[in-house]
Amino acid sequence: MQTNINKPDSDKDVLLKMVDIEKSFPGVKALDHAQLTVKRGTVHALMGENGAGKSTLMKCLFGVYSKDGGHIYVDGQEVNYKNSREALENGVAMVHQELNQALKRNVMDNMWLGRFPTVSKFVPFTSEKKMYEETARVFKELEINVDPKTIMSTMPVSQRQMVEIAKAVSYNSKIIVFDEPTSSLTEEEAEHLFRIINMLRDRGCAIVYISHKMEEILRISDEVTIMCDGRWVATKPASELTMNEIIKLMVGRELTNRYPPKDNEIGDVLLKVENLSSEYTNLRDVSFEASKGEILGVAGLDGSGRTELLEQIFGITTRRGGKIYLDGKETKNKTPHESIRNGFALLTEERRATGIFGILNVRENATVASLKKYMAGPFVSKKKMKVTTDKYIKSLKIKTPNQETKIRSLSGGNQQKVALSKLLLAGSSVLILDEPTVGLDPEERIHFRNLFSRTAQDRLVLLSTHIIEDVQSVCDRLVVIDHGQILFTGTPEQLIQAAEGHVGVFWEREAGQEQGLHITARVNTSQGVRCRAVADALPAYVQRSEPSLED
């Protein structure tokens, strides 16, 4: 939709204005006369389905992409940043959805990369002391508890995300773009981020906030702009919108059947884990069983050992002890290659780093794990690959110009769909999914939930997620982990009963909430860790009070 605005707004409150922005990639028009107006001292949410053009629009602002047409005004002056460094130097910062960090370097190296502080103007050598002090100062201001000398690769994704947020703040930017910032954060960390955003808003910064989590949008945003297929749809005050209205503007209709029926038939025990321990992580003596046709949720706080358990089962990390049985037979799974041969498949949390081949096209990424199926003599049949890939593009609703499109040019959600199709095509007995719905819009998340239920009909699905609705709607049972050990195994209903029995939780049904239960918990200090780990796994909105010895 083309706007009639052809010059910068004279309103002094407007800090960012993007007018008639166009951007095309081979075979697809990503932006079609898109527009955005953001006022200083406000949080402006940018919403739309995956592939709507949200991130592309912001990358045109940030200098990652060169726009094909249109105008960008910052503080009334037209700008056209050639690269991200130029944008940063002019007060525009962006926290990307996909982290791009130097994992072998420490935190402060990543914070100041490209702008290392020097000993003095006359001694142009990097000052480690200044770098440490400045990093510590920023972290103290933002209440981030991370050692500046920690190596990035040793930190969980959520902490690395907070470091990236601190880096953006350290530029003293007047415009900061947050692209799906809470996708890897726990509830507590998300609350911490919201405090940082409110602080920046109070300073007069203009915040552009991209997210699919509508509860967050309605809570922290002042205005909301919705996009569809690269075009501007609407801009409205957040106070005038409801969740259903946002969804309708995004997809053109109301969404129904948000929670699929649990009609998968659970059979005999397929996977048995006995006393599993890891050599270099905190995973200790983990044991559980899971059956064919079952969706087993793996829940817990960040750093609890959720991802470590999945990686240990798949042979990524070194095992200290324990055994894994598949269909009654012991399987070593010493390496990922051996695990794949044994019928295991893993969808990793960081899809860009370990889930896709960015330089390959959609078809090649979808079929790379099952090439033997497409052999015609000594050759691979491209015709067979095309037929199968086309089937999954349609069934998973992958938005791509064609199969030849490089996967790196797709939106994050569509990359996730291609990565999942690769696992489904491999025909594995055990699907291990680590945060599979992160970055998906509401309609796609519903589609994935239905897909998980259908997928579990003839195999086992291990589902690790921090999204409560996913746990509630699709998991048959839960394994709750804290500090590398299992606290609880059972159904969501049994978990609620266990919490009531062990930590004295008061429960009440909150009117009008589909999520389920509203929880208020007061427990003593010795039970605090257990309560937090259990509560985080519950299908509910959670309110926690500080542990008290008096209780």
Side-chain angles (χ1 to χ4, degrees):
M1 178 182 295
Q2 187 167 349
T3 175
N4 293 323
I5 303 172
N6 293 312
K7 59 182 180 178
D9 200 310
S10 59
D11 190 345
K12 292 182 179 180
D13 289 337
V14 174
L15 189 54
L16 170 66
K17 194 172 194 67
M18 305 182 74
V19 182
D20 289 341
I21 305 300
E22 297 185 12
K23 180 63 182 177
S24 295
F25 297 103
V28 61
K29 189 158 190 172
L31 296 174
D32 186 4
H33 297 286
Q35 61 172 306
L36 179 68
T37 301
V38 185
K39 299 174 184 176
R40 68 180 77 246
T42 64
V43 177
H44 196 112
L46 188 56
M47 301 195 71
E49 294 182 276
N50 278 314
K54 308 179 299 295
S55 297
T56 302
L57 182 63
M58 291 299 96
K59 287 177 180 178
C60 287
L61 165 67
F62 194 57
V64 176
Y65 295 150
S66 176
K67 59 182 171 50
D68 298 335
H71 305 276
I72 301 174
Y73 301 95
V74 173
D75 221 355
Q77 300 297 314
E78 186 167 4
V79 300
N80 186 24
Y81 302 130
K82 302 299 182 183
N83 51 58
S84 56
R85 180 165 186 166
E86 184 180 348
L88 288 165
E89 289 172 348
N90 285 277
V92 179
M94 182 172 180
V95 180
H96 296 272
Q97 179 181 0
E98 305 286 357
L99 300 179
N100 190 14
Q101 298 165 321
L103 298 182
K104 299 301 180 183
R105 307 296 297 179
N106 61 31
V107 168
M108 61 185 187
D109 284 344
N110 277 270
M111 281 281 292
W112 305 100
L113 189 64
R115 49 174 184 149
F116 291 132
T118 57
V119 175
S120 70
K121 185 166 62 174
F122 305 103
V123 184
F125 298 110
T126 300
S127 172
E128 292 277 335
K129 180 182 178 183
K130 284 185 179 180
M131 195 157 55
Y132 182 89
E133 290 174 348
E134 282 299 300
T135 304
R137 179 189 63 79
V138 174
F139 283 2
K140 182 178 180 180
E141 179 185 12
L142 302 180
E143 299 179 352
I144 295 175
N145 186 24
V146 173
D147 184 351
K149 294 185 178 180
T150 304
I151 301 299
M152 294 295 290
S153 61
T154 65
M155 297 164 57
V157 175
S158 60
Q159 283 191 349
R160 288 167 46 202
Q161 184 88 346
M162 295 303 291
V163 170
E164 199 70 12
I165 291 166
K167 180 179 179 179
V169 174
S170 73
Y171 279 93
N172 294 318
S173 304
K174 51 191 175 184
I175 299 171
I176 303 181
V177 179
F178 292 92
D179 192 355
E180 296 283 358
T182 62
S183 60
S184 300
L185 302 185
T186 63
E187 181 183 338
E188 184 178 352
E189 289 164 336
E191 291 294 331
H192 186 183
L193 172 62
F194 298 155
R195 291 196 297 271
I196 293 174
I197 289 176
N198 287 331
M199 177 192 70
L200 295 171
R201 172 167 50 189
D202 293 342
R203 288 181 182 177
C205 295
I207 308 296
V208 180
Y209 192 91
I210 302 174
S211 177
H212 291 121
K213 299 180 179 180
M214 280 169 285
E215 295 88 351
E216 295 178 358
I217 294 297
L218 295 175
R219 175 181 169 186
I220 70 168
S221 300
D222 299 297
E223 292 185 300
V224 179
T225 289
I226 296 168
M227 297 180 64
C228 181
D229 295 330
R231 299 182 181 91
W232 174 85
V233 174
T235 298
K236 294 187 177 184
S239 58
E240 296 180 5
L241 290 168
T242 65
M243 189 183 303
N244 287 334
E245 287 171 342
I246 293 174
I247 293 174
K248 192 172 182 179
L249 286 169
M250 284 171 55
V251 303
R253 59 183 176 83
E254 294 184 1
L255 294 184
T256 57
N257 299 323
R258 295 178 64 186
Y259 304 104
K262 294 182 181 179
D263 55 2
N264 46 304
E265 295 183 5
I266 299 177
D268 297 331
V269 172
L270 180 64
L271 178 68
K272 184 177 181 181
V273 174
E274 286 186 351
N275 303 316
L276 202 62
S277 299
S278 178
E279 187 67 45
Y280 302 112
T281 68
N282 64 355
L283 203 66
R284 294 290 178 269
D285 297 321
V286 171
S287 299
F288 66 88
E289 293 181 352
S291 302
K292 185 175 182 179
E294 182 178 22
I295 301 177
L296 180 68
V298 181
L301 298 172
D302 186 59
S304 62
R306 286 184 300 137
T307 296
E308 289 81 356
L309 173 59
L310 304 187
E311 291 179 344
Q312 182 61 237
I313 292 173
F314 197 63
I316 293 176
T317 54
T318 305
R319 189 182 308 168
R320 171 181 288 184
K323 296 181 179 180
I324 300 173
Y325 296 91
L326 182 64
D327 211 9
K329 298 179 181 178
E330 183 177 357
T331 174
K332 299 295 184 182
N333 285 11
K334 292 182 178 180
T335 65
H337 185 66
E338 182 180 347
S339 300
I340 292 170
R341 287 204 318 265
N342 291 333
F344 291 76
L346 171 67
L347 184 67
T348 61
E349 181 178 6
E350 295 187 76
R351 58 173 170 258
R352 182 173 139 181
T354 55
I356 62 171
F357 296 98
I359 62 172
L360 300 183
N361 63 35
V362 171
R363 182 181 64 252
E364 290 163 339
N365 272 274
T367 58
V368 68
S370 54
L371 289 176
K372 289 183 179 180
K373 293 182 178 180
Y374 312 105
M375 299 300 294
F379 304 104
V380 176
S381 171
K382 187 178 289 189
K383 182 179 179 180
K384 291 181 180 179
M385 293 169 66
K386 284 183 176 180
V387 171
T388 303
T389 304
D390 186 59
K391 172 185 173 183
Y392 276 84
I393 287 175
K394 291 177 180 177
S395 64
L396 296 185
K397 300 180 181 178
I398 300 171
K399 290 184 179 179
T400 176
N402 52 62
Q403 297 183 15
E404 304 293 336
T405 302
K406 293 288 189 288
I407 193 172
R408 63 188 175 195
S409 69
L410 302 185
S411 67
N414 285 297
Q415 290 178 4
Q416 187 81 321
K417 292 179 183 181
V418 176
L420 181 60
S421 70
K422 174 180 64 179
L423 271 60
L424 297 176
L425 281 169
S428 305
S429 302
V430 180
L431 282 186
I432 306 172
L433 309 178
D434 196 0
E435 299 288 1
T437 62
V438 165
L440 301 182
D441 61 51
E443 185 175 28
E444 288 175 327
R445 191 169 291 134
I446 294 171
H447 180 65
F448 264 56
R449 289 173 190 154
N450 282 283
L451 181 64
F452 296 153
S453 296
R454 295 198 309 269
T455 299
Q457 298 293 349
D458 56 354
R459 69 191 85 196
L460 164 66
V461 176
L462 298 182
L463 175 64
S464 173
T465 180
H466 74 282
I467 299 174
I468 294 174
E469 284 191 359
D470 291 346
V471 173
Q472 175 189 9
S473 60
V474 300
C475 293
D476 299 297
R477 289 189 306 132
L478 301 173
V479 171
V480 180
I481 297 181
D482 184 49
H483 289 83
Q485 295 181 310
I486 290 183
L487 295 182
F488 173 87
T489 302
T491 65
E493 294 76 17
Q494 290 171 337
L495 179 57
I496 293 173
Q497 294 172 5
E500 286 178 318
H502 287 289
V503 299
V505 180
F506 171 74
W507 311 90
E508 63 180 13
R509 178 73 62 179
E510 186 173 35
Q513 294 290 1
E514 294 184 0
Q515 266 66 15
L517 295 171
H518 180 79
I519 306 166
T520 304
R522 291 182 62 83
V523 298
N524 64 41
T525 303
S526 64
Q527 294 170 317
V529 171
R530 179 183 177 91
C531 176
R532 286 197 300 274
V534 170
D536 196 63
L538 290 171
Y541 287 117
V542 181
Q543 290 185 348
R544 307 183 183 94
S545 61
E546 291 296 322
S548 170
L549 286 171
E550 297 176 0
D551 297 330

